[in-house]
């Protein structure tokens, strides 16, 4: 089971944590290169950060954590790297299942999943089904995911539903669009953290990021562990979210919604 909150975590939790955090986990290749290692060692070390961030988000009481694990564009990488990543994903899904169940975390996957090899799809399906009744946090893995691709998929579903008479075109609103996304019915995306110093979105959650706070950190993903995640949450808590309003309430981000 998860360990109890540290004093620092308790203070952070008391100030109000983001309901939904998105992570652009970048910098594995550079981490490996700096050590003269193959890129795959960076991805392997990065899996330890995935574990650390999931545990910390769960302890803090975040309702949803969405991890950008493999983009639609990442299929263009050398075959060897893609195959290595798929192998690590499979290992991860097989090894982590028990902990997700024990800590009551529901697993969800978002993306063009049909492109994934069966060796990943099979354990992914099993784990999503097994954890379907878990309610303490939703962990979404973005796999073969692109924000534009997600919008195209949503538009197709919308048109099909109108054609089949399941939806009136006059009743298309933000809700009708949002519920047809791969990422579906998750809470508002409060915060996106990107590691490795790059300051771009790289086709992540284009629809949901409309009012997300963005935190860019120089740390490479394999070095991003509990304390780094807590630092990023504290940075979020110092932000003032206005959502287009003119008034400044001077409150902290977690409390200003
Ligand atoms: C992120 O690390 C992992 C994936 C995109 C799958 P990178 O592999 O992009 O690492 P860098 O950016 O080359 O350092
Ligand atoms: C974004 O990282 C995708 C993931 C973290 C899975 P990339 O390394 O693919 O993005 P770019 O190429 O730097 O924009
Ligand atoms: Mg990268």
């Amino acid at each position: 089971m998860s360990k109890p909150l540290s004093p620092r975590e308790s203070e952070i939790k008391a100030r109000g944590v983001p309901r939904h955090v998105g992570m652009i986990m970048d910098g594995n290749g550079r981490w490996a290169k700096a050590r003269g290692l193959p890129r795959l060692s960076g991805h392997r070390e990065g899996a330890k950060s995935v574990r650390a961030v999931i545990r910390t988000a769960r302890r803090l009481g975040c309702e949803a954590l969405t991890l950008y694990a493999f983009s639609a564009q990442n299929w263009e990488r050398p075959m060897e790297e893609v195959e290595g990543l798929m192998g690590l994903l499979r290992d991860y899904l097989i090894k982590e299942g028990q902990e997700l169940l024990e800590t009551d975390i529901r697993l969800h996957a978002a993306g063009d999943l049909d492109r994934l090899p069966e060796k990943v799809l099979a354990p992914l399906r099993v784990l999503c089904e097994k954890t379907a009744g878990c309610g303490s946090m939703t962990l979404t893995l973005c796999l073969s995911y692109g924000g534009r691709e997600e919008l195209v998929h949503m538009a197709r579903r919308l048109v099909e539903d109108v054609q089949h008479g399941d939806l009136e075109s006059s009743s298309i609103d933000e809700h009708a669009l949002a519920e047809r996304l791969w990422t579906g019915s998750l809470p508002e995306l409060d915060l996106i953290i990107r590691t490795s110093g790059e300051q771009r979105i790289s086709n992540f959650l284009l629809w949901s990021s409309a009012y997300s706070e963005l935190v860019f950190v120089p740390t490479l993903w394999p070095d991003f562990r509990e304390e780094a995640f807590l630092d990023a949450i504290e940075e979020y808590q110092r932000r003032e979210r206005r959502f287009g309003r003119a008034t400044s309430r001077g409150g902290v981000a977690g409390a200003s919604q």
Side-chain angles (χ1 to χ4, degrees):
M1 289 302 285
S2 51
K3 63 176 182 180
L5 290 174
S6 67
R8 184 182 181 200
E9 287 170 340
S10 297
E11 278 173 31
I12 290 174
K13 187 170 180 170
R15 282 197 292 269
V17 295
R19 291 179 67 198
H20 182 185
V21 180
M23 294 276 346
I24 305 179
M25 312 183 289
D26 198 16
N28 296 351
R30 277 163 282 171
W31 184 92
K33 191 171 179 209
R35 288 161 180 76
L37 297 168
R39 290 178 62 85
L40 202 61
S41 328
H43 297 313
R44 196 171 292 121
E45 191 64 20
K48 297 181 191 165
S49 302
V50 170
R51 206 166 296 131
V53 165
I54 294 172
R55 285 179 184 164
T56 313
R58 166 73 178 83
R59 273 205 304 279
L60 289 179
C62 297
E63 289 170 46
L65 176 68
T66 299
L67 303 179
Y68 203 6
F70 190 84
S71 77
Q73 288 65 37
N74 290 151
W75 290 114
E76 303 302 321
R77 294 191 177 193
M79 201 173 71
E80 198 185 290
E81 182 172 350
V82 171
E83 279 178 1
L85 277 164
M86 292 300 141
L88 286 177
L89 252 166
R90 180 188 160 80
D91 293 349
Y92 177 83
L93 292 166
I94 290 171
K95 267 197 257 158
E96 297 304 306
Q98 196 53 33
E99 176 160 341
L100 294 185
L101 271 172
E102 280 171 11
T103 51
D104 197 35
I105 296 176
R106 183 173 76 99
L107 181 70
H108 173 69
D112 186 2
L113 305 180
D114 292 341
R115 291 189 73 181
L116 295 171
E118 192 54 32
K119 68 172 185 181
V120 172
L121 256 186
L124 184 63
R125 274 199 216 101
V126 169
L127 204 48
C128 288
E129 275 169 30
K130 267 195 187 167
T131 59
C134 297
S136 294
M137 185 173 89
T138 300
L139 170 66
T140 302
L141 293 183
C142 288
L143 296 169
S144 189
Y145 173 91
R148 287 187 175 176
E149 289 80 354
E150 181 176 40
L151 295 178
V152 169
H153 164 84
M154 177 266 285
R156 285 203 184 124
R157 283 189 62 191
L158 211 58
V159 170
E160 281 165 15
D161 289 349
V162 170
Q163 280 173 346
H164 295 152
D166 298 330
L167 178 73
E168 292 289 331
S169 55
S170 57
S171 55
I172 294 176
D173 56 9
E174 282 189 23
H175 178 73
L177 266 66
E179 70 179 6
R180 287 170 176 78
L181 294 171
W182 283 320
T183 38
S185 52
L186 292 169
E188 197 63 32
L189 182 65
D190 294 317
L191 168 66
I192 294 178
I193 305 167
R194 182 172 188 147
T195 58
S196 90
E198 307 298 349
Q199 302 196 1
R200 56 179 170 264
I201 291 294
S202 299
N203 209 13
F204 190 45
L205 306 177
L206 296 183
W207 171 274
S208 322
S209 59
Y211 271 104
S212 308
E213 292 296 323
L214 306 176
V215 171
F216 297 106
V217 299
T219 315
L220 302 174
W221 177 250
D223 292 326
F224 190 89
R225 299 283 161 93
E226 287 87 349
E227 297 301 313
F229 184 69
L230 296 177
D231 290 344
I233 301 292
E234 284 184 329
E235 168 63 30
Y236 166 83
Q237 292 179 326
R238 286 190 288 272
R239 304 277 177 89
E240 187 198 341
R241 304 184 74 189
R242 286 194 291 276
F243 300 97
R245 292 189 289 257
T247 50
S248 166
R249 297 196 218 158
V252 294
S256 66
Q257 294 168 51

